[in-house]
Amino acid sequence: MEGQFNGFRLQSTCYSCRRMFDVFEGTQAYDRVKRNRKGMHCCEDCKQRIELEARLQLGRRLLTGKD
């Protein structure tokens, strides 16, 4: 997709890995960054890792029966 996108893009820093990443116009991430430039944002890789870890923890809680 690089080189083909003609819209706006913003850069932000991932709070987890501290790397710069681009967000493109028309995405939810772009809207969040545009509304709150100084907020805590994360890149797609870290977002997926965080979601996977949350699902694993939920599964562990359901299997062990602990609240």
Side-chain angles (χ1 to χ4, degrees):
M1 186 169 149
E2 288 188 14
Q4 297 177 5
F5 192 78
N6 293 329
F8 293 107
R9 76 174 182 200
L10 297 173
Q11 284 191 335
S12 186
T13 304
C14 177
Y15 70 87
S16 183
C17 66
R18 305 282 187 231
R19 285 188 264 169
M20 295 293 287
F21 67 98
D22 293 331
V23 290
F24 297 98
E25 183 180 26
T27 62
Q28 290 179 351
Y30 179 87
D31 293 337
R32 284 191 300 269
V33 171
K34 188 174 180 182
R35 275 189 261 127
N36 187 3
R37 294 288 299 197
K38 295 183 180 186
M40 293 176 52
H41 308 287
C42 63
C43 63
E44 279 297 315
D45 293 335
C46 290
K47 178 183 172 190
Q48 291 175 357
R49 183 180 46 81
I50 292 167
E51 287 177 356
L52 177 62
E53 183 60 34
R55 288 184 182 129
L56 290 172
Q57 284 185 7
L58 176 63
R60 286 185 200 117
R61 285 184 181 180
L62 291 173
L63 287 175
T64 60
K66 294 182 181 178
D67 290 335

